């Protein structure tokens, strides 16, 4: 399932196509990116293509590419997962790369677009996420768009051979509406 084109001031969220696989694999291969993600690695091009192809048929998630409107370059991926939850909530996920693209507001703009789609078109009541406790950039970006910290899941993620704490965050429909 893909949403209609979602456009912000500088970004376009669009369906992923098989030809995006090399760019996405390159972004995910960067340790600065994948250290913050729950991801089985290494990712082969074939596996990435398969993942992308399956998205069109997926009914329980929307996953889209984040592209720059000025030159169309693919900056990353964002999505809402576990959409079948009867409590009308979904998990939010995102990655942008490489690091030279960080800190330009892309994360916040893409988050606003996909989470707004979740509340407006998919009628969600709650959007939640899990983020490594040391991902200060991510946590700050999520707070800026309206997510709140709900708690710490101690040692809930594995990075290399080390357990790391995870922060649970969420934004409710009423909070989202009140801010906009
Ligand atoms: C997390 C991620 C999506 C954020 O995207 P981004 O485009 O860098 O985010 P933005 O530029 O919109 O916002 C980043 C904010 O964090 C701030 N920031 C940067 N470094 C920071 C730090 N060390 N501590 C606190 N805030 C920091 C920036 O100043 C900015 O806030 P501002 O708008 O108030 O100035 C992106 O960095 C990324 O994909 N990282 C790798 C993968 C990842 O972590 N995915 C998320 C897993 S939950």
């Amino acid at each position: 399932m893909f949403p209609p084109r979602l456009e912000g001031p500088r970004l376009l969220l669009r369906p992923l196509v098989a030809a995006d696989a090399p760019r996405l694999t390159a972004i995910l291969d960067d340790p600065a990116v994948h250290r913050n993600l729950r991801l089985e690695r290494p990712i082969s091009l074939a596996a990435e293509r398969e993942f992308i192809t399956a998205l069109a048929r997926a009914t329980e998630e929307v996953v889209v590419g984040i592209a720059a409107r000025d030159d169309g370059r693919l900056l990353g991926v964002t999505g809402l997962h576990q959409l079948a939850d009867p409590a009308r909530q979904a998990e939010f996920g995102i990655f942008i790369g490489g690091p030279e693209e960080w800190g330009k507001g892309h994360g916040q703009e893409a988050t606003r677009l996909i989470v707004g789609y979740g509340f407006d078109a998919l009628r969600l009541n709650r959007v939640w996420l899990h983020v490594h406790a040391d991902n200060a950039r991510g946590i700050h970006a999520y707070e800026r768009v309206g997510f709140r910290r709900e708690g710490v899941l101690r040692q809930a993620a594995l990075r290399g051979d080390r357990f790391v704490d995870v922060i649970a965050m969420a934004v409710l429909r009423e909070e989202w509406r009140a801010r906009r």
Side-chain angles (χ1 to χ4, degrees), residues 36 94-96 102-105 107-108 135-137 140 142 144:
N36 292 313
I94 188 168
F95 67 83
I96 287 172
W102 296 350
K104 299 178 179 175
Q108 289 169 55
N135 188 349
R137 179 191 306 275
H140 183 86
Y142 304 143
R144 286 265 281 149

Side-chain angles (χ1 to χ4, degrees), residues 101-142:
E101 297 288 358
W102 296 350
K104 299 178 179 175
H106 297 323
Q108 289 169 55
E109 184 173 330
T111 304
R112 282 194 188 95
L113 288 171
I114 194 76
V115 174
Y117 173 76
F119 285 125
D120 296 340
L122 303 180
R123 316 267 323 142
L124 293 175
N125 183 58
R126 180 174 189 270
V127 177
W128 61 271
L129 66 85
H130 283 175
V131 55
H132 292 172
D134 63 359
N135 188 349
R137 179 191 306 275
I139 293 167
H140 183 86
Y142 304 143

Side-chain angles (χ1 to χ4, degrees), residues 24-124:
L24 294 184
T25 312
I27 294 174
L28 289 168
D29 260 345
D30 187 327
V33 175
H34 69 240
R35 76 191 292 277
N36 292 313
L37 301 172
R38 197 176 55 221
L39 203 64
E40 277 183 35
R41 295 189 58 260
I43 305 161
S44 71
L45 260 185
E48 191 61 26
R49 276 198 204 99
E50 224 170 88
F51 168 78
I52 291 172
T53 311
L55 288 175
R57 297 188 304 273
T59 54
E60 297 188 4
E61 58 183 350
V62 272
V63 176
V64 286
I66 304 169
R69 282 180 61 175
D70 55 3
D71 59 5
R73 73 190 186 285
L74 187 61
L75 298 167
V77 171
T78 186
L80 298 170
H81 312 270
Q82 303 184 43
L83 289 168
D85 192 318
R88 286 187 18 227
Q89 61 180 339
E91 178 182 10
F92 164 80
I94 188 168
F95 67 83
I96 287 172
E100 71 282 358
E101 297 288 358
W102 296 350
K104 299 178 179 175
H106 297 323
Q108 289 169 55
E109 184 173 330
T111 304
R112 282 194 188 95
L113 288 171
I114 194 76
V115 174
Y117 173 76
F119 285 125
D120 296 340
L122 303 180
R123 316 267 323 142
L124 293 175

